[in-house]
């Protein structure tokens, strides 16, 4: 790697090289006549490109009364390890008391020391330095540096520390390994969470590919103001993923920053059982207000689920399942399964009902695929299907699931009509919560040593 601090930038015989932003910060800036204009404070970049490109410099002068000026990139002649040279005279540089344009994306204010999302490793990181690539007399953000060494470089003590480490261990990993992450894997957070004026769209596809559980962890790792900044840049599907994978306290904080329409859109996009769990923990007046704003079919479904005890089968079940009338031809069933969209990955079971929606049996994808596609679905049914009732307890449900190795079990009412299903995830969540409450009680009862 070339080190521009040992040579010069913007040289005619140099087509590209790397430099750290910390090596440019506070460099003196001189005009076309060699007169000192100020020092480099920040660099503005275009936020819409895969690798954002520099557009202008922010320079400052004076102490303690700071003043700031904007220098467009075409007005820069060159730079080396000592100074930045301009093509224009000092008189052409217009200084102001402050430069605080929130629309711009700048390196020092908006990226350095900030939390960003690493979409490759699915985690939140802190930027200690910025690795710039100089191409055709312009800088592009190539990487972010998350290492301790990057922080030491900014403090101006990288070389002394390197020397000391080298004396004791010249093969130290600290001296050899760079902790650089490519900018293409970085989702910078919106800098102004109120106006949301900065939005980077490129990594959206990468965010969509992150597992829902990891997305929830990423969200919770962020500072409060950054949580909302990130959340508002996401599409509805990704918002729903995050919402279902954070605790109620975080959910409640989130909806307090959103308007009712946004909350309703999210609740319409999450599985019914997840929406129910959330609504039943809210004060009744807020819950009823949100239900009144939802589409009538969804509101009716959630209102019904809210009527059941949270530790009963009715309270645990979801209405996201696949059921077909017994005479439906298997070929038609398979086509409908392919065409249907689900808020979550569906369980592998398909349920068979009569014309009154009474549960007759069940099957799974494998049996449907192996069976003659011209036959009705009831020909692919299991010999026996086990089920629970709306008022069945968590223990009953867990017992049947463990005994028959089900990952989902149907729930019926007193007339044997299919009402929903309970997945193993729902049961595990309930049992873990129960076990955690028991553990805390035991700890409270233990005598102090």
């Amino acid at each position: 790697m070339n080190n521009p601090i040992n040579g010069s930038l913007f040289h005619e015989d140099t087509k590209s090289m790397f430099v750290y932003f910390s090596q440019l910060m506070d460099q003196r800036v001189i005009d076309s006549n060699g007169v000192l204009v100020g020092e480099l404070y920040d660099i503005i970049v275009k936020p819409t490109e895969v690798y954002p490109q520099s557009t202008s410099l922010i320079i400052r002068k004076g102490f303690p009364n700071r003043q700031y000026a904007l220098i467009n990139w075409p007005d820069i002649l060159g730079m080396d390890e000592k100074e930045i040279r301009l093509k224009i005279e000092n008189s052409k540089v217009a200084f102001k008391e402050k430069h605080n344009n929130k629309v711009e994306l700048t390196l020092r204010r908006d990226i350095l020391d900030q939390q960003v999302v690493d979409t490759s490793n699915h985690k939140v990181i802190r930027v200690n330095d910025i690795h710039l690539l100089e191409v055709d007399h312009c800088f592009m953000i190539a990487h972010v540096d998350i290492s301790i060494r990057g922080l030491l470089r900014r403090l101006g003590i990288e070389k002394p520390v390197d020397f000391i480490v080298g004396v004791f261990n010249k093969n130290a990993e600290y001296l050899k390994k760079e902790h650089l992450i490519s900018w293409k894997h970085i989702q910078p957070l919106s800098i102004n969470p109120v106006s949301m004026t900065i939005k980077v769209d490129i990594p959206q596809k990468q965010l969509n590919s992150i597992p829902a559980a990891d997305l929830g962890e990423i969200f919770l790792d962020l500072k409060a103001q950054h949580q909302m900044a990130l959340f508002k840049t996401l599409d509805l599907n990704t918002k729903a993923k995050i919402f279902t994978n954070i605790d109620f306290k975080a959910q409640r904080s989130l909806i307090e920053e959103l308007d009712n329409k946004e909350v309703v859109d999210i609740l319409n996009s999450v599985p019914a059982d997840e929406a129910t769990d959330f609504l039943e923990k809210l004060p009744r007046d807020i819950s009823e207000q949100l239900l009144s704003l939802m589409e009538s079919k969804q509101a009716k479904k959630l209102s019904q689920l809210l009527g059941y005890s949270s530790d009963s089968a009715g309270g645990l079940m979801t209405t996201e399942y696949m059921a077909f009338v017994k005479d439906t031809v298997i070929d038609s069933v398979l086509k409908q399964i392919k065409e249907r969209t689900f808020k979550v990955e569906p369980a592998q079971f398909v349920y068979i009902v009569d014309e009154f929606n009474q549960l007759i049996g069940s099957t799974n994808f494998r049996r449907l695929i192996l069976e003659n596609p011209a036959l009705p679905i009831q020909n692919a049914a299991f010999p026996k299907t086990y089920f629970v009732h709306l008022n069945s307890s968590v223990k009953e449900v867990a017992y049947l699931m463990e005994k028959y190795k089900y990952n989902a079990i149907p729930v019926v009412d007193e007339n044997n009509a299919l009402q929903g299903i309970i997945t193993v995830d729902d049961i595990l969540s309930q049992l873990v919560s129960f076990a955690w409450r028991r553990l805390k009680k035991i700890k409270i009862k233990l005598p102090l040593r």
Side-chain angles (χ1 to χ4, degrees), residues 19-62:
V19 62
Y20 286 103
F21 178 54
S22 62
Q23 295 171 316
L24 299 174
M25 284 168 52
D26 302 324
Q27 265 194 25
R28 51 190 246 127
V29 180
I30 61 172
D31 73 356
S32 56
N33 297 318
V35 177
L36 180 65
V37 180
E39 61 185 23
L40 174 64
Y41 177 70
D42 212 339
I43 298 178
I44 300 172
V45 295
K46 294 178 183 176
T48 55
E49 299 180 3
V50 179
Y51 293 98
Q53 183 175 318
S54 57
T55 61
S56 50
L57 299 180
I58 300 175
I59 63 175
R60 70 180 177 185
K61 70 174 184 178

Side-chain angles (χ1 to χ4, degrees), residues 99 116-117 151 166 186 191 229 268-269 275 281 360 369 393 410 437:
H99 183 89
V116 296
V117 177
L151 193 57
I186 296 299
I191 309 311
N268 280 330
S269 301
K281 293 173 184 174
I360 294 175
I369 293 169
S393 68
R437 290 197 299 270

Side-chain angles (χ1 to χ4, degrees), residues 275-417:
T276 305
D277 289 345
F278 173 69
L279 288 171
E280 72 179 0
K281 293 173 184 174
L282 290 175
R284 179 178 289 273
D285 58 333
I286 298 177
S287 178
E288 290 178 351
Q289 181 184 12
L290 291 173
L291 283 170
S292 69
L293 296 172
M294 299 179 78
E295 50 190 62
S296 57
K297 185 177 179 180
Q298 179 75 350
K300 184 178 179 181
K301 184 191 300 182
L302 295 181
S303 295
Q304 182 181 2
L305 291 174
L306 284 168
Y308 303 116
S309 169
S310 61
D311 58 356
S312 68
L316 288 174
M317 72 181 183
T318 178
T319 52
E320 283 271 304
Y321 61 88
M322 292 174 289
F324 297 88
V325 178
K326 60 183 179 178
D327 296 325
T328 309
V329 176
I330 290 175
D331 185 54
S332 174
V333 170
L334 291 172
K335 287 180 180 177
Q336 290 184 60
I337 290 174
K338 288 180 181 178
E339 292 170 358
R340 284 189 65 175
T341 57
F342 297 89
K343 293 173 183 175
V344 292
E345 188 70 24
Q348 302 298 305
F349 289 97
V350 178
Y351 300 96
I352 305 165
V353 297
D354 63 14
E355 59 272 23
F356 301 108
N357 199 43
Q358 292 181 323
L359 181 66
I360 294 175
S362 63
T363 184
N364 62 15
F365 293 168
R366 182 175 181 274
R367 292 174 72 93
L368 288 174
I369 293 169
L370 295 177
E371 188 58 82
N372 183 344
L375 294 176
I377 188 174
Q378 60 184 343
N379 282 56
F382 289 116
K384 186 172 180 61
T385 295
Y386 295 92
F387 56 85
V388 294
H389 291 91
L390 289 168
N391 59 355
S392 295
S393 68
V394 173
K395 288 183 180 179
E396 291 178 74
V397 178
Y399 171 76
L400 286 175
M401 280 189 161
E402 195 282 327
K403 182 177 181 179
Y404 298 106
K405 309 306 177 189
Y406 281 178
N407 59 20
I409 194 166
V411 183
V412 299
D413 63 11
E414 66 274 9
N415 299 316
N416 203 47

Side-chain angles (χ1 to χ4, degrees), residues 168-186:
F168 289 97
N169 183 7
K170 63 180 180 180
N171 295 316
E173 185 178 339
Y174 165 85
L175 296 172
K176 292 182 175 181
K177 189 174 180 180
E178 290 184 299
H179 294 273
L180 300 177
I181 298 174
S182 174
W183 182 263
K184 68 181 179 181
H185 296 309
I186 296 299

Side-chain angles (χ1 to χ4, degrees), residues 115-133:
Q115 286 183 306
V116 296
V117 177
D118 175 3
T119 61
S120 176
N121 294 308
H122 304 171
K123 62 182 181 181
V124 176
I125 56 176
R126 180 181 182 274
V127 179
N128 289 330
D129 206 347
I130 303 166
H131 202 215
L132 303 172
L133 173 64

